[in-house]
Amino acid sequence: MFLQIIGFIFLIPGVLLVFASRWLVRKYGLDNNVKCDFESEISEEDLKEYKFNKAVVNLKMLGMLIALPGIALILIAFR
């Protein structure tokens, strides 16, 4: 029972972070902090879209890293 609770404690915020990543990037302007090594090679619109998508993917990866221990604990608990 304890592992199930701890698993869901990790799983819920991770999944919420994955699904809310686009909204969070727009709300807090997280795409402004993204570095791009080839800024001079692409247009301004493509650069803006690239930075936005990169920030979203980074946030989704962080959410999955948070949810991963929860998934493992839930699999072990319900085994």
Side-chain angles (χ1 to χ4, degrees), residues 8-20:
F8 280 112
I9 287 174
F10 279 107
L11 184 68
I12 292 171
V15 170
L16 288 176
L17 188 60
V18 168
F19 285 118

Side-chain angles (χ1 to χ4, degrees), residues 9-33:
I9 287 174
F10 279 107
L11 184 68
I12 292 171
V15 170
L16 288 176
L17 188 60
V18 168
F19 285 118
S21 61
R22 283 195 179 273
W23 178 76
L24 289 170
V25 169
R26 281 191 196 112
K27 180 172 171 94
Y28 295 109
L30 298 176
D31 54 341
N32 297 332
N33 300 331

Side-chain angles (χ1 to χ4, degrees), residues 7-78:
F8 280 112
I9 287 174
F10 279 107
L11 184 68
I12 292 171
V15 170
L16 288 176
L17 188 60
V18 168
F19 285 118
S21 61
R22 283 195 179 273
W23 178 76
L24 289 170
V25 169
R26 281 191 196 112
K27 180 172 171 94
Y28 295 109
L30 298 176
D31 54 341
N32 297 332
N33 300 331
V34 174
K35 302 284 185 200
C36 181
D37 295 333
F38 48 90
E39 287 184 24
S40 60
E41 299 176 11
I42 58 177
S43 68
E44 187 67 32
E45 282 182 23
D46 291 338
L47 178 65
K48 189 174 182 180
E49 183 179 347
Y50 172 79
K51 285 184 174 185
F52 180 78
N53 287 334
K54 188 172 180 181
V56 168
V57 168
N58 287 340
L59 207 55
K60 285 183 184 268
M61 291 295 289
L62 179 65
M64 285 305 295
L65 284 174
I66 293 171
L68 186 63
I71 293 169
L73 286 173
I74 289 173
L75 287 175
I76 290 170
F78 284 109

